[in-house]
Amino acid sequence: MITANQLRSFTEQIFIAIGCSEADAHLAADVLVSADLRGVDSHGVARLPGYVRLYDHGRINPQPHIRVVHETPSTAVVDGDRGLGLIVGPWAMNIAIEKARSAGTGWVAVRNSNHFGIAGYHALLAADHDMIGQAMTHAAPLVAPTFSLDKLLGTNPIAVAIPAATEPTFLADFASTAVAYGKLEILQRKGQDIPLGWAQNAEGQPTTDANAIRNGGALLPLGTDREHGSHKGYGLGAIVDIFSGVLSGANYGPWVPPFATAGFMQANEGVGQGTGHFFGAMRIDAFRPADEFKSHMDTWIQRFRQAKAVEGHQVLIPGDPERIMEAERLANGIPLVEPVVQSLTDLGERFNVAL
């Protein structure tokens, strides 16, 4: 177990060691540790060695010149200059927020970036300004569309944050696949099988092998198979890919550069620039008075909490499990599995930073 502050300090020092400014290192560390606090261990500090490997391979620019390359009063395209997506993402979302202040809504497409952590972190930035925040990103091609043996899409998450008055912010943050690849990584480290429905093998058959993707298999879209709606997950992933890549000028589909995971490192770039994201901010009072809306969001949330539930369960609001986990881990610390501890210890020894 390790406290959030200890983990944040360690992570910040590693980012400084690869050349990030103190401000950027602080922000990047906050994005990663927020994932661990919220129980999304697959996108937390376990990925820190991956960012360093990307830096080692020249895929990350620790001192990027992030800039707007095209804009209208309500839209913009941002070039991340190969910066950490953990930095580029909040920078672009803040542009969307500023656009929304003056135009009512703001929409920002991003190219030439890298993995940006959990989508929910970025969406929540808008909710703090009485706005509805949206964030999405595509990712390395690990996912086979319905009936495909080829990996053409990433896990391609979508997050939407909607503020309320006295109730906590509604936050839906989910991959368009049956599961994020990071969940497989966790089970790989533990030497455990995955549940059926997460992945297929190289022949397109269901598998419980946590290493299936390394061996020619693929992750499955949300829904798993056609009979259970995988075409819908495929459609969601395709929308995210088009908004993040085709619209922004980033790579897309099978050309999205891989994160330093699943044994892949080389990027098959050629149709665009780097990894892409897409952000939106909608000022609530562009539609109705914000206080009135948030009061009705309280009513919405409270009614769903009161729903009659299956015995032994309760109806949750999107964001509830993460909030519960965050409170627990702030109080008791963040658990790290031994392989993650070892990889962070190795990083610390390389850069002379104590874990």
Side-chain angles (χ1 to χ4, degrees), residues 38 93 107 119-127 131-136 157-163 169-174 278 280 282 293 297 317-319 323:
R38 296 172 67 81
M93 177 51 99
W107 305 95
Y121 183 97
H122 310 292
L124 282 169
L125 295 176
M131 298 181 187
I132 295 172
Q134 301 178 47
M136 59 183 76
I158 301 169
V160 178
I162 306 174
T169 297
F170 173 106
L171 177 62
D173 181 1
F174 55 92
F278 189 79
M282 304 165 60
F293 169 85
M297 275 302 299
I317 305 301
R323 280 186 288 271

mmCIF file of all heavy atoms in Angstrom, residues 38 93 107 119-127 131-136 157-163 169-174 278 280 282 293 297 317-319 323:
data_model
loop_
_atom_site.group_PDB
_atom_site.id
_atom_site.type_symbol
_atom_site.label_atom_id
_atom_site.label_comp_id
_atom_site.label_asym_id
_atom_site.label_seq_id
_atom_site.Cartn_x
_atom_site.Cartn_y
_atom_site.Cartn_z
ATOM 1 N N ARG A 38 -9.315 6.199 -8.179
ATOM 2 C CA ARG A 38 -10.679 5.855 -8.567
ATOM 3 C C ARG A 38 -10.841 4.369 -8.877
ATOM 4 O O ARG A 38 -11.908 3.919 -9.291
ATOM 5 C CB ARG A 38 -11.107 6.704 -9.767
ATOM 6 C CG ARG A 38 -11.167 8.191 -9.443
ATOM 7 C CD ARG A 38 -11.399 9.056 -10.677
ATOM 8 N NE ARG A 38 -12.719 8.847 -11.230
ATOM 9 C CZ ARG A 38 -13.831 9.421 -10.774
ATOM 10 N NH1 ARG A 38 -13.771 10.244 -9.740
ATOM 11 N NH2 ARG A 38 -15.000 9.183 -11.342
ATOM 12 N N MET A 93 -8.928 20.499 -23.567
ATOM 13 C CA MET A 93 -10.230 20.651 -22.926
ATOM 14 C C MET A 93 -10.426 22.070 -22.432
ATOM 15 O O MET A 93 -11.536 22.624 -22.500
ATOM 16 C CB MET A 93 -10.375 19.655 -21.776
ATOM 17 C CG MET A 93 -11.689 19.789 -21.006
ATOM 18 S SD MET A 93 -13.173 19.792 -22.041
ATOM 19 C CE MET A 93 -13.703 18.102 -21.875
ATOM 20 N N TRP A 107 -15.826 22.720 -29.150
ATOM 21 C CA TRP A 107 -15.465 21.393 -29.643
ATOM 22 C C TRP A 107 -14.032 21.432 -30.143
ATOM 23 O O TRP A 107 -13.675 22.275 -30.973
ATOM 24 C CB TRP A 107 -16.407 20.959 -30.771
ATOM 25 C CG TRP A 107 -17.838 21.022 -30.362
ATOM 26 C CD1 TRP A 107 -18.725 22.038 -30.569
ATOM 27 C CD2 TRP A 107 -18.541 20.035 -29.603
ATOM 28 N NE1 TRP A 107 -19.935 21.745 -30.008
ATOM 29 C CE2 TRP A 107 -19.866 20.515 -29.408
ATOM 30 C CE3 TRP A 107 -18.196 18.785 -29.094
ATOM 31 C CZ2 TRP A 107 -20.817 19.794 -28.712
ATOM 32 C CZ3 TRP A 107 -19.165 18.062 -28.398
ATOM 33 C CH2 TRP A 107 -20.450 18.563 -28.221
ATOM 34 N N ALA A 119 -10.313 8.944 -19.622
ATOM 35 C CA ALA A 119 -11.106 9.976 -20.298
ATOM 36 C C ALA A 119 -11.892 10.814 -19.297
ATOM 37 O O ALA A 119 -12.093 12.022 -19.495
ATOM 38 C CB ALA A 119 -12.051 9.319 -21.301
ATOM 39 N N GLY A 120 -12.337 10.181 -18.210
ATOM 40 C CA GLY A 120 -13.155 10.888 -17.238
ATOM 41 C C GLY A 120 -12.466 12.082 -16.618
ATOM 42 O O GLY A 120 -13.123 13.069 -16.260
ATOM 43 N N TYR A 121 -11.145 12.027 -16.457
ATOM 44 C CA TYR A 121 -10.408 13.154 -15.872
ATOM 45 C C TYR A 121 -10.656 14.420 -16.679
ATOM 46 O O TYR A 121 -10.895 15.498 -16.123
ATOM 47 C CB TYR A 121 -8.912 12.829 -15.830
ATOM 48 C CG TYR A 121 -8.065 13.906 -15.177
ATOM 49 C CD1 TYR A 121 -7.693 13.787 -13.840
ATOM 50 C CD2 TYR A 121 -7.629 15.024 -15.881
ATOM 51 C CE1 TYR A 121 -6.919 14.763 -13.221
ATOM 52 C CE2 TYR A 121 -6.865 16.009 -15.263
ATOM 53 C CZ TYR A 121 -6.514 15.872 -13.942
ATOM 54 O OH TYR A 121 -5.759 16.844 -13.319
ATOM 55 N N HIS A 122 -10.608 14.294 -17.996
ATOM 56 C CA HIS A 122 -10.741 15.456 -18.879
ATOM 57 C C HIS A 122 -12.187 15.949 -18.936
ATOM 58 O O HIS A 122 -12.433 17.164 -18.931
ATOM 59 C CB HIS A 122 -10.230 15.092 -20.272
ATOM 60 C CG HIS A 122 -8.880 14.443 -20.248
ATOM 61 N ND1 HIS A 122 -7.736 15.109 -19.886
ATOM 62 C CD2 HIS A 122 -8.494 13.165 -20.499
ATOM 63 C CE1 HIS A 122 -6.704 14.291 -19.932
ATOM 64 N NE2 HIS A 122 -7.140 13.097 -20.306
ATOM 65 N N ALA A 123 -13.136 15.027 -18.971
ATOM 66 C CA ALA A 123 -14.536 15.426 -19.016
ATOM 67 C C ALA A 123 -14.927 16.199 -17.753
ATOM 68 O O ALA A 123 -15.696 17.165 -17.810
ATOM 69 C CB ALA A 123 -15.428 14.197 -19.186
ATOM 70 N N LEU A 124 -14.383 15.792 -16.605
ATOM 71 C CA LEU A 124 -14.715 16.440 -15.340
ATOM 72 C C LEU A 124 -14.245 17.886 -15.286
ATOM 73 O O LEU A 124 -14.801 18.699 -14.531
ATOM 74 C CB LEU A 124 -14.111 15.660 -14.168
ATOM 75 C CG LEU A 124 -14.851 14.399 -13.738
ATOM 76 C CD1 LEU A 124 -14.013 13.595 -12.756
ATOM 77 C CD2 LEU A 124 -16.201 14.746 -13.121
ATOM 78 N N LEU A 125 -13.243 18.250 -16.059
ATOM 79 C CA LEU A 125 -12.751 19.626 -16.045
ATOM 80 C C LEU A 125 -13.850 20.604 -16.426
ATOM 81 O O LEU A 125 -13.938 21.710 -15.887
ATOM 82 C CB LEU A 125 -11.559 19.777 -16.999
ATOM 83 C CG LEU A 125 -10.292 19.001 -16.635
ATOM 84 C CD1 LEU A 125 -9.234 19.173 -17.727
ATOM 85 C CD2 LEU A 125 -9.741 19.452 -15.287
ATOM 86 N N ALA A 126 -14.707 20.219 -17.365
ATOM 87 C CA ALA A 126 -15.792 21.101 -17.789
ATOM 88 C C ALA A 126 -16.896 21.174 -16.747
ATOM 89 O O ALA A 126 -17.525 22.225 -16.552
ATOM 90 C CB ALA A 126 -16.351 20.631 -19.128
ATOM 91 N N ALA A 127 -17.165 20.069 -16.064
ATOM 92 C CA ALA A 127 -18.240 20.039 -15.072
ATOM 93 C C ALA A 127 -17.999 21.045 -13.957
ATOM 94 O O ALA A 127 -18.951 21.556 -13.354
ATOM 95 C CB ALA A 127 -18.378 18.627 -14.499
ATOM 96 N N MET A 131 -20.658 23.213 -16.894
ATOM 97 C CA MET A 131 -20.723 22.749 -18.276
ATOM 98 C C MET A 131 -20.786 21.229 -18.294
ATOM 99 O O MET A 131 -20.339 20.561 -17.351
ATOM 100 C CB MET A 131 -19.493 23.205 -19.074
ATOM 101 C CG MET A 131 -19.326 24.704 -19.189
ATOM 102 S SD MET A 131 -17.861 25.135 -20.172
ATOM 103 C CE MET A 131 -17.815 26.920 -19.939
ATOM 104 N N ILE A 132 -21.349 20.692 -19.355
ATOM 105 C CA ILE A 132 -21.299 19.260 -19.607
ATOM 106 C C ILE A 132 -20.024 18.982 -20.395
ATOM 107 O O ILE A 132 -19.779 19.597 -21.434
ATOM 108 C CB ILE A 132 -22.532 18.794 -20.387
ATOM 109 C CG1 ILE A 132 -23.796 18.985 -19.535
ATOM 110 C CG2 ILE A 132 -22.391 17.332 -20.820
ATOM 111 C CD1 ILE A 132 -25.087 18.727 -20.276
ATOM 112 N N GLY A 133 -19.193 18.090 -19.884
ATOM 113 C CA GLY A 133 -17.925 17.779 -20.530
ATOM 114 C C GLY A 133 -17.963 16.444 -21.238
ATOM 115 O O GLY A 133 -18.575 15.486 -20.751
ATOM 116 N N GLN A 134 -17.327 16.385 -22.393
ATOM 117 C CA GLN A 134 -17.220 15.145 -23.146
ATOM 118 C C GLN A 134 -15.760 14.945 -23.555
ATOM 119 O O GLN A 134 -15.085 15.903 -23.939
ATOM 120 C CB GLN A 134 -18.098 15.184 -24.397
ATOM 121 C CG GLN A 134 -19.570 15.403 -24.107
ATOM 122 C CD GLN A 134 -20.404 15.492 -25.367
ATOM 123 O OE1 GLN A 134 -20.271 14.675 -26.264
ATOM 124 N NE2 GLN A 134 -21.272 16.491 -25.436
ATOM 125 N N ALA A 135 -15.290 13.729 -23.460
ATOM 126 C CA ALA A 135 -13.922 13.413 -23.859
ATOM 127 C C ALA A 135 -13.888 12.025 -24.470
ATOM 128 O O ALA A 135 -14.542 11.111 -23.968
ATOM 129 C CB ALA A 135 -12.973 13.485 -22.661
ATOM 130 N N MET A 136 -13.151 11.892 -25.547
ATOM 131 C CA MET A 136 -12.970 10.578 -26.166
ATOM 132 C C MET A 136 -11.609 10.519 -26.826
ATOM 133 O O MET A 136 -11.004 11.537 -27.142
ATOM 134 C CB MET A 136 -14.081 10.293 -27.187
ATOM 135 C CG MET A 136 -14.205 11.271 -28.321
ATOM 136 S SD MET A 136 -15.610 10.908 -29.431
ATOM 137 C CE MET A 136 -16.990 11.484 -28.438
ATOM 138 N N PRO A 157 -12.376 4.865 -25.661
ATOM 139 C CA PRO A 157 -13.327 5.215 -24.603
ATOM 140 C C PRO A 157 -14.065 6.532 -24.853
ATOM 141 O O PRO A 157 -13.615 7.399 -25.593
ATOM 142 C CB PRO A 157 -12.427 5.336 -23.378
ATOM 143 C CG PRO A 157 -11.118 5.782 -23.938
ATOM 144 C CD PRO A 157 -10.984 5.063 -25.244
ATOM 145 N N ILE A 158 -15.197 6.641 -24.173
ATOM 146 C CA ILE A 158 -16.027 7.839 -24.186
ATOM 147 C C ILE A 158 -16.322 8.213 -22.737
ATOM 148 O O ILE A 158 -16.635 7.342 -21.920
ATOM 149 C CB ILE A 158 -17.362 7.582 -24.908
ATOM 150 C CG1 ILE A 158 -17.127 7.133 -26.347
ATOM 151 C CG2 ILE A 158 -18.257 8.824 -24.872
ATOM 152 C CD1 ILE A 158 -18.393 6.618 -27.033
ATOM 153 N N ALA A 159 -16.234 9.492 -22.408
ATOM 154 C CA ALA A 159 -16.603 9.959 -21.072
ATOM 155 C C ALA A 159 -17.502 11.181 -21.193
ATOM 156 O O ALA A 159 -17.256 12.066 -22.021
ATOM 157 C CB ALA A 159 -15.369 10.307 -20.246
ATOM 158 N N VAL A 160 -18.532 11.226 -20.356
ATOM 159 C CA VAL A 160 -19.431 12.378 -20.287
ATOM 160 C C VAL A 160 -19.627 12.719 -18.821
ATOM 161 O O VAL A 160 -19.998 11.853 -18.018
ATOM 162 C CB VAL A 160 -20.797 12.088 -20.943
ATOM 163 C CG1 VAL A 160 -21.720 13.298 -20.804
ATOM 164 C CG2 VAL A 160 -20.624 11.717 -22.413
ATOM 165 N N ALA A 161 -19.373 13.982 -18.456
ATOM 166 C CA ALA A 161 -19.535 14.453 -17.080
ATOM 167 C C ALA A 161 -20.641 15.504 -17.048
ATOM 168 O O ALA A 161 -20.610 16.471 -17.813
ATOM 169 C CB ALA A 161 -18.236 15.051 -16.557
ATOM 170 N N ILE A 162 -21.628 15.307 -16.160
ATOM 171 C CA ILE A 162 -22.780 16.202 -16.062
ATOM 172 C C ILE A 162 -22.932 16.640 -14.608
ATOM 173 O O ILE A 162 -23.183 15.805 -13.729
ATOM 174 C CB ILE A 162 -24.065 15.497 -16.539
ATOM 175 C CG1 ILE A 162 -23.871 14.926 -17.949
ATOM 176 C CG2 ILE A 162 -25.239 16.468 -16.506
ATOM 177 C CD1 ILE A 162 -25.046 14.082 -18.448
ATOM 178 N N PRO A 163 -22.792 17.924 -14.315
ATOM 179 C CA PRO A 163 -22.870 18.375 -12.925
ATOM 180 C C PRO A 163 -24.295 18.373 -12.388
ATOM 181 O O PRO A 163 -25.268 18.514 -13.137
ATOM 182 C CB PRO A 163 -22.319 19.801 -12.987
ATOM 183 C CG PRO A 163 -22.642 20.262 -14.377
ATOM 184 C CD PRO A 163 -22.510 19.034 -15.239
ATOM 185 N N THR A 169 -21.341 14.664 -9.312
ATOM 186 C CA THR A 169 -21.386 14.738 -10.763
ATOM 187 C C THR A 169 -21.631 13.363 -11.378
ATOM 188 O O THR A 169 -20.998 12.378 -11.000
ATOM 189 C CB THR A 169 -20.062 15.315 -11.304
ATOM 190 O OG1 THR A 169 -19.919 16.647 -10.821
ATOM 191 C CG2 THR A 169 -20.037 15.337 -12.821
ATOM 192 N N PHE A 170 -22.563 13.318 -12.304
ATOM 193 C CA PHE A 170 -22.787 12.114 -13.114
ATOM 194 C C PHE A 170 -21.579 11.966 -14.038
ATOM 195 O O PHE A 170 -21.244 12.887 -14.786
ATOM 196 C CB PHE A 170 -24.076 12.302 -13.929
ATOM 197 C CG PHE A 170 -24.363 11.223 -14.941
ATOM 198 C CD1 PHE A 170 -25.358 10.278 -14.709
ATOM 199 C CD2 PHE A 170 -23.678 11.168 -16.157
ATOM 200 C CE1 PHE A 170 -25.659 9.303 -15.659
ATOM 201 C CE2 PHE A 170 -23.965 10.194 -17.101
ATOM 202 C CZ PHE A 170 -24.944 9.258 -16.853
ATOM 203 N N LEU A 171 -20.899 10.825 -13.975
ATOM 204 C CA LEU A 171 -19.728 10.612 -14.830
ATOM 205 C C LEU A 171 -19.773 9.216 -15.433
ATOM 206 O O LEU A 171 -19.511 8.225 -14.753
ATOM 207 C CB LEU A 171 -18.421 10.798 -14.061
ATOM 208 C CG LEU A 171 -17.143 10.521 -14.867
ATOM 209 C CD1 LEU A 171 -17.026 11.480 -16.055
ATOM 210 C CD2 LEU A 171 -15.903 10.609 -13.987
ATOM 211 N N ALA A 172 -20.109 9.152 -16.706
ATOM 212 C CA ALA A 172 -20.039 7.891 -17.443
ATOM 213 C C ALA A 172 -18.707 7.865 -18.185
ATOM 214 O O ALA A 172 -18.404 8.783 -18.949
ATOM 215 C CB ALA A 172 -21.201 7.794 -18.428
ATOM 216 N N ASP A 173 -17.913 6.854 -17.950
ATOM 217 C CA ASP A 173 -16.579 6.751 -18.547
ATOM 218 C C ASP A 173 -16.346 5.279 -18.864
ATOM 219 O O ASP A 173 -16.150 4.472 -17.956
ATOM 220 C CB ASP A 173 -15.527 7.277 -17.570
ATOM 221 C CG ASP A 173 -14.109 7.221 -18.127
ATOM 222 O OD1 ASP A 173 -13.925 6.795 -19.289
ATOM 223 O OD2 ASP A 173 -13.174 7.608 -17.396
ATOM 224 N N PHE A 174 -16.386 4.923 -20.140
ATOM 225 C CA PHE A 174 -16.307 3.503 -20.475
ATOM 226 C C PHE A 174 -15.664 3.300 -21.850
ATOM 227 O O PHE A 174 -15.760 4.149 -22.734
ATOM 228 C CB PHE A 174 -17.705 2.873 -20.468
ATOM 229 C CG PHE A 174 -18.705 3.564 -21.365
ATOM 230 C CD1 PHE A 174 -18.889 3.156 -22.678
ATOM 231 C CD2 PHE A 174 -19.452 4.624 -20.896
ATOM 232 C CE1 PHE A 174 -19.799 3.786 -23.501
ATOM 233 C CE2 PHE A 174 -20.370 5.267 -21.712
ATOM 234 C CZ PHE A 174 -20.549 4.850 -23.017
ATOM 235 N N PHE A 278 -10.814 13.855 -28.895
ATOM 236 C CA PHE A 278 -11.890 14.795 -29.203
ATOM 237 C C PHE A 278 -12.556 15.225 -27.897
ATOM 238 O O PHE A 278 -12.880 14.379 -27.053
ATOM 239 C CB PHE A 278 -12.933 14.157 -30.132
ATOM 240 C CG PHE A 278 -13.943 15.134 -30.656
ATOM 241 C CD1 PHE A 278 -13.637 15.976 -31.710
ATOM 242 C CD2 PHE A 278 -15.205 15.213 -30.083
ATOM 243 C CE1 PHE A 278 -14.566 16.891 -32.196
ATOM 244 C CE2 PHE A 278 -16.145 16.116 -30.553
ATOM 245 C CZ PHE A 278 -15.821 16.963 -31.616
ATOM 246 N N GLY A 280 -15.397 18.056 -25.856
ATOM 247 C CA GLY A 280 -16.526 18.962 -25.980
ATOM 248 C C GLY A 280 -16.900 19.558 -24.640
ATOM 249 O O GLY A 280 -16.777 18.908 -23.596
ATOM 250 N N MET A 282 -20.186 21.984 -23.113
ATOM 251 C CA MET A 282 -21.490 22.595 -23.398
ATOM 252 C C MET A 282 -21.933 23.394 -22.177
ATOM 253 O O MET A 282 -22.145 22.818 -21.105
ATOM 254 C CB MET A 282 -22.519 21.512 -23.727
ATOM 255 C CG MET A 282 -22.119 20.605 -24.868
ATOM 256 S SD MET A 282 -23.140 19.090 -24.961
ATOM 257 C CE MET A 282 -24.769 19.799 -25.201
ATOM 258 N N PHE A 293 -31.313 23.454 -14.033
ATOM 259 C CA PHE A 293 -30.896 22.165 -14.603
ATOM 260 C C PHE A 293 -30.298 21.264 -13.534
ATOM 261 O O PHE A 293 -30.646 20.077 -13.428
ATOM 262 C CB PHE A 293 -29.872 22.391 -15.720
ATOM 263 C CG PHE A 293 -29.197 21.133 -16.194
ATOM 264 C CD1 PHE A 293 -29.783 20.331 -17.160
ATOM 265 C CD2 PHE A 293 -27.970 20.732 -15.655
ATOM 266 C CE1 PHE A 293 -29.168 19.155 -17.587
ATOM 267 C CE2 PHE A 293 -27.353 19.564 -16.077
ATOM 268 C CZ PHE A 293 -27.953 18.781 -17.043
ATOM 269 N N MET A 297 -31.190 17.574 -12.207
ATOM 270 C CA MET A 297 -30.242 16.455 -12.194
ATOM 271 C C MET A 297 -30.259 15.761 -10.835
ATOM 272 O O MET A 297 -30.185 14.531 -10.753
ATOM 273 C CB MET A 297 -28.820 16.937 -12.517
ATOM 274 C CG MET A 297 -28.507 17.037 -13.995
ATOM 275 S SD MET A 297 -28.730 15.467 -14.903
ATOM 276 C CE MET A 297 -27.554 14.398 -14.065
ATOM 277 N N ILE A 317 -25.335 5.076 -9.787
ATOM 278 C CA ILE A 317 -25.251 6.153 -10.760
ATOM 279 C C ILE A 317 -23.854 6.114 -11.367
ATOM 280 O O ILE A 317 -22.869 5.886 -10.651
ATOM 281 C CB ILE A 317 -25.486 7.522 -10.077
ATOM 282 C CG1 ILE A 317 -26.819 7.509 -9.326
ATOM 283 C CG2 ILE A 317 -25.449 8.651 -11.099
ATOM 284 C CD1 ILE A 317 -28.025 7.218 -10.176
ATOM 285 N N PRO A 318 -23.709 6.301 -12.686
ATOM 286 C CA PRO A 318 -22.369 6.324 -13.262
ATOM 287 C C PRO A 318 -21.439 7.268 -12.488
ATOM 288 O O PRO A 318 -21.757 8.434 -12.269
ATOM 289 C CB PRO A 318 -22.619 6.814 -14.689
ATOM 290 C CG PRO A 318 -23.990 6.286 -15.015
ATOM 291 C CD PRO A 318 -24.757 6.424 -13.726
ATOM 292 N N GLY A 319 -20.327 6.732 -12.060
ATOM 293 C CA GLY A 319 -19.363 7.471 -11.249
ATOM 294 C C GLY A 319 -19.363 7.036 -9.795
ATOM 295 O O GLY A 319 -18.390 7.285 -9.072
ATOM 296 N N ARG A 323 -16.151 6.882 -7.050
ATOM 297 C CA ARG A 323 -16.152 7.778 -5.896
ATOM 298 C C ARG A 323 -15.983 6.996 -4.595
ATOM 299 O O ARG A 323 -15.269 7.426 -3.684
ATOM 300 C CB ARG A 323 -17.456 8.587 -5.855
ATOM 301 C CG ARG A 323 -17.468 9.789 -6.795
ATOM 302 C CD ARG A 323 -18.724 10.621 -6.588
ATOM 303 N NE ARG A 323 -19.914 9.936 -7.103
ATOM 304 C CZ ARG A 323 -20.351 10.048 -8.340
ATOM 305 N NH1 ARG A 323 -19.696 10.802 -9.208
ATOM 306 N NH2 ARG A 323 -21.443 9.417 -8.734
#
